[in-house]
Amino acid sequence: RARPAGGPAAMAQARVLLTKEQAPQAVPASDLPMKVYEVAQKTGPDSSSGLATAGFRTAKYLLPEWHQSNSDLYHKAFASCEQAECRRAEAKELAEHAAAAAQRAQQDSMATLGQRLQDIHFWKAELQKEIEDLEAETGLLAAQKLRLERVLDATEVPYAIATDNLQCRERRQLPDLVSDEVERELLKEAELIRNIQELLKRTLMQAGNQMRLNRDHKEVCEMDWSDKVEAYNVDDKCGRYSNQSTNVQFHPSSVKFEESASTPETWAKFSHDNIYRAEREKLASINLRALIDNILHDVSEDLRMQCAAVNEAFAKRCEELDDTKHKLEHHLKKILKEIGDQEASIAALKQAIKDKEAPMKVAQTRLYDRSFRPNVELCRDETQFRLISEAEELTESVESLKKKLLESEQTLRNLEDTRMNLEKEIAVKTNSIFIDRQKCMAHRTRYPVVFKLAGYQ
């Protein structure tokens, strides 16, 4: 049968009407059975149907009522058909709408899953990059820490050299046991090395702490990255489900939000904060590496400069000792020559005194013999006066020579003392030169090179 004109509006109107009491309707044009009318018969008082048929007529409907009843049935059947047709149309439309809605919802879910996979992939890539950067940075910091350890070990040799030099120089003899420029530079070097060692130990501790922080934040990022990988796999698995999948089933209890579930904002903030803290520690590690570079450069420069200052002081001191020793040896030569001359002079004085014995004997013998002149011949003549004068002159001359001999002998003794002092002082200077040059400076040739003091060996 033809569908009523009017489309969905008419169907909607029909649905509205069916919810109320049906109003009389005009019967649409259709091929209905022809109504057959019987010929009216006489029913008057003179007719043959009278009281005899009255009992058969009491329970029957009238013919118009019969027609009305059939008409009502027709209308009810038509209305039922219309209602069924509307319901079928509604059911079909609802099914199509539900299918389209389900398809759109599934497409939206797929789109959101795809977007979610992109977001997870983005943060996973950022975390992976941060993990790799932290691992590389920790490796670089470990290399710097190894350099610090090498430099700390290398400083033991300069410290041992400086202390050994100070101990060796304590064996200098007086008067060379002085607090000279070399000793001041050696003390400065020992103090510098001790301060450098303390600085290196503190920096080593700081580097160890920073490496631990780097590893801690790397572990946090790795845990976050691992969760992202697992979530990515879960969402990727969910994205592969379709209506034709055989491994899907009902899970009514899953259609609810977990109380501990995060929001997209807190989810993104969690990874952002992890990366931010990791970046902060990475920057701190980079700054620490730069600081270690500067420290090692300054340490090597300071040690080499101080070593050069000590070596220069040693060279100057050895030069002074050499010069002093040469001067002492020169004076010793003069003293030895003077001692020889003085000994010759003493020998000459002794010979001169001895040479005065014969004239003294002659003069005294003459005087003695003339004292035996008889009587008036024992005269104080010119000869007597001259002999007496000669004896006195000889006596004065001998006394002067003896005095001069004593003075010469004392001078010789002084010269001998000076010679002994010079020889002793030369020995002291020789010992000082041996200690400074053969012991200290030779030991300082084992001073570490700059390459080693910078921690590259």
Side-chain angles (χ1 to χ4, degrees):
R1 190 169 56 175
R3 188 173 180 178
M11 291 175 63
Q13 185 177 4
R15 285 196 298 270
V16 173
L17 292 175
L18 288 175
T19 58
K20 301 179 182 179
E21 184 179 358
Q22 292 184 353
Q25 303 181 33
V27 179
S30 61
D31 295 333
L32 295 177
M34 297 297 294
K35 185 175 181 180
V36 179
Y37 294 93
E38 294 181 355
V39 178
Q41 297 180 357
K42 184 179 179 180
T43 58
D46 295 332
S47 66
S48 60
S49 58
L51 296 175
T53 60
F56 293 98
R57 300 174 59 245
T58 55
K60 293 182 175 58
Y61 290 100
L62 296 178
L63 188 57
E65 293 176 345
W66 179 82
H67 286 291
Q68 184 64 41
S69 175
N70 289 335
S71 179
D72 292 340
L73 288 175
Y74 300 153
H75 283 292
K76 286 182 179 180
F78 176 78
S80 296
C81 289
E82 285 290 327
Q83 185 178 11
E85 186 178 0
C86 290
R87 292 291 170 82
R88 280 190 297 105
E90 290 175 0
K92 182 179 180 181
E93 182 181 2
L94 181 61
E96 292 175 353
H97 177 73
Q103 185 177 4
R104 286 194 303 272
Q106 196 173 70
Q107 290 176 351
D108 292 342
S109 297
M110 287 292 294
T112 55
L113 275 173
Q115 182 62 41
R116 183 62 174 175
L117 287 173
Q118 292 181 3
D119 294 342
I120 294 175
H121 178 74
F122 169 77
W123 286 112
K124 186 180 69 171
E126 291 294 321
L127 287 168
Q128 185 173 358
K129 179 179 178 298
E130 195 61 36
I131 290 169
E132 293 173 354
D133 290 347
L134 271 178
E135 185 174 2
E137 179 58 34
T138 303
L140 294 174
L141 186 58
Q144 292 292 76
K145 184 173 179 287
L146 180 60
R147 287 183 62 196
L148 284 172
E149 293 171 351
R150 288 173 177 171
V151 173
L152 182 60
D153 293 338
T155 55
E156 292 297 331
V157 174
Y159 187 74
I161 290 174
T163 53
D164 181 74
N165 289 164
L166 289 170
Q167 291 172 0
C168 286
R169 299 189 92 242
E170 288 296 322
R171 295 195 292 270
R172 291 175 298 169
Q173 300 173 359
L174 292 174
D176 281 2
L177 189 61
V178 295
S179 178
D180 53 4
E181 185 65 23
V182 177
E183 183 172 344
R184 286 191 291 271
E185 292 296 336
L186 282 172
L187 290 173
K188 188 187 297 184
E189 184 179 42
E191 185 67 21
L192 174 65
I193 295 173
R194 184 58 66 189
N195 293 335
I196 286 174
Q197 288 176 342
E198 294 297 326
L199 174 61
L200 293 177
K201 289 177 182 178
R202 291 196 303 270
T203 310
L204 270 173
M205 186 179 299
Q206 188 176 356
N209 293 334
Q210 186 61 51
M211 289 177 63
R212 189 183 67 252
L213 290 174
N214 288 353
R215 292 193 182 100
D216 291 343
H217 284 81
K218 175 175 170 286
E219 183 178 356
V220 170
C221 290
E222 285 175 342
M223 292 177 64
D224 193 3
W225 179 85
S226 178
D227 292 343
K228 293 286 187 299
V229 171
E230 187 174 353
Y232 186 90
N233 292 335
V234 169
D235 285 349
D236 183 63
K237 179 182 177 182
C238 292
R240 296 180 186 276
Y241 287 140
S242 67
N243 295 332
Q244 288 76 32
S245 299
T246 59
N247 54 343
V248 294
Q249 56 184 343
F250 291 107
H251 296 282
S253 61
S254 64
V255 188
K256 62 178 181 180
F257 287 108
E258 297 290 340
E259 293 183 359
S260 60
S262 61
T263 63
E265 291 77 13
T266 58
W267 174 81
K269 185 176 183 299
F270 179 76
S271 296
H272 177 272
D273 291 345
N274 288 338
I275 293 175
Y276 172 75
R277 287 191 291 267
E279 283 285 339
R280 185 177 59 189
E281 294 304 327
K282 184 177 73 174
L283 182 60
S285 180
I286 292 173
N287 293 334
L288 181 58
R289 282 196 298 112
L291 176 63
I292 291 174
D293 273 333
N294 293 333
I295 288 175
L296 293 179
H297 178 269
D298 294 343
V299 162
S300 61
E301 287 296 322
D302 291 345
L303 287 176
R304 292 308 302 176
M305 288 177 62
Q306 186 59 34
C307 176
V310 173
N311 291 340
E312 184 179 358
F314 263 119
K316 289 182 178 179
R317 184 59 178 168
C318 289
E319 185 178 353
E320 291 175 356
L321 289 172
D322 284 335
D323 183 64
T324 303
K325 180 185 174 185
H326 291 322
K327 290 179 179 179
L328 291 172
E329 289 173 347
H330 176 69
H331 285 288
L332 179 60
K333 289 179 181 179
K334 292 176 65 176
I335 289 295
L336 290 175
K337 182 178 181 302
E338 189 64 31
I339 287 174
D341 294 343
Q342 194 68 26
E343 288 176 346
S345 175
I346 290 172
L349 286 173
K350 288 180 178 180
Q351 186 63 40
I353 293 172
K354 187 176 181 180
D355 291 341
K356 297 299 182 292
E357 291 179 357
M360 179 63 72
K361 288 179 182 179
V362 171
Q364 290 181 357
T365 301
R366 286 173 178 174
L367 288 173
Y368 178 75
D369 288 343
R370 295 190 82 221
S371 64
F372 290 102
R373 288 177 298 170
N375 299 320
V376 73
E377 293 300 326
L378 188 62
C379 177
R380 298 178 182 177
D381 54 5
E382 185 67 26
T383 301
Q384 187 70 22
F385 285 112
R386 187 67 191 94
L387 287 172
I388 292 173
S389 175
E390 180 185 5
E392 290 176 353
E393 289 176 2
L394 288 173
T395 302
E396 290 178 1
S397 178
V398 170
E399 291 297 328
S400 298
L401 289 173
K402 287 182 178 180
K403 184 178 179 181
K404 183 58 67 177
L405 177 62
L406 290 175
E407 291 178 357
S408 297
E409 288 176 346
Q410 183 61 40
T411 302
L412 180 61
R413 285 192 293 271
N414 293 337
L415 289 173
E416 291 290 344
D417 292 340
T418 303
R419 178 184 65 82
M420 291 179 61
N421 291 333
L422 287 174
E423 289 176 347
K424 181 179 178 181
E425 192 65 26
I426 290 172
V428 170
K429 295 296 183 290
T430 303
N431 179 66
S432 299
I433 292 172
F434 175 78
I435 290 175
D436 286 351
R437 181 170 290 160
Q438 303 299 325
K439 290 289 187 180
C440 296
M441 294 186 72
H443 196 188
R444 294 188 69 81
T445 58
R446 296 189 296 169
Y447 207 91
V449 296
V450 177
F451 196 72
K452 190 170 185 178
L453 290 175
Y456 292 109
Q457 288 184 347

